[in-house]
Amino acid sequence: MKYLLGLMCLLLLTGTTHAAGAVNDKAVMAYGQLDGAATGWSIHTELPDGWKQDCCVYAKAIGVNLVLYKGDWTGEPDRVMVLNVWPAKLATLDAELQEDRKHYLQLDPAGKVSAFPLAHAGMPCQGVLYQGNDHKDDAVVFCDPGKASGIRLSWSMTMAHDDAIGQDLLSLFKRVVEQSRYMAYQPPKDAKDKAAQH
């Protein structure tokens, strides 16, 4: 996760990101803008039972767009679902995945890389599971909302390789990713004030 956070910090959008609950307590929406004038983006998903969301305190502190976590925030990456959104630069979704894989193996040549299959009906997504020499597993999924959006996004989660509830966590993570949806978004002029009060 450390390598991924470092990479994504460099790729984050300029401007602000906010999160807001929607009609029910389980709905999560993170949104932001590519720049001050462009139409923004929003990513929607469903918060797992008993989990919490944060965009503007903990997430901002570690340079990401949204974090989902259970229990108290510890600042450690274990069992935290992380959303990153950045301006699309590479030609394809596969190129994003290959670049991330290359970076991971440069940092951990003994690490293992395998596919993390999932079925996302709303947009193309590709997943990978990294098993590190540090006995940590990183599930990472890259998604492409389409050229018109101007963005790419990823969901990621780190956990101990021998985590007793590892398979349950991966199933929950997969569900969050598969439920995530992209929409174009133009925040109203007072959205910044409303988000600050949220």
Side-chain angles (χ1 to χ4, degrees), residues 2 55 68 75 79 85 95 99 105 120 140 180 183 187 189:
K2 293 187 286 292
C55 71
L68 307 181
R79 298 183 177 183
V85 181
E99 184 67 20
L105 291 174
H120 197 299
V140 185
S180 63
M183 290 181 64
K189 291 181 180 179

Side-chain angles (χ1 to χ4, degrees), residues 27-49:
V28 175
M29 179 181 78
Y31 64 89
Q33 291 183 278
L34 292 170
D35 60 47
T39 299
W41 53 266
S42 64
I43 306 299
H44 307 250
T45 192
E46 192 167 295
L47 190 68
D49 290 337

Side-chain angles (χ1 to χ4, degrees), residues 94-125:
D94 187 61
E96 299 278 6
L97 190 68
Q98 293 306 318
E99 184 67 20
D100 192 66
R101 182 181 187 274
K102 176 183 174 184
H103 186 66
Y104 176 84
L105 291 174
Q106 284 175 342
L107 294 176
D108 188 356
K112 296 179 181 177
V113 182
S114 58
F116 182 71
L118 72 161
H120 197 299
M123 57 186 156
C125 293

Side-chain angles (χ1 to χ4, degrees), residues 78-79 135 137 158-169:
D78 286 9
R79 298 183 177 183
H135 305 292
D137 291 354
T158 297
M159 61 185 185
H161 182 67
D162 57 355
D163 193 311
I165 60 168
Q167 287 306 310
D168 291 339
L169 285 169

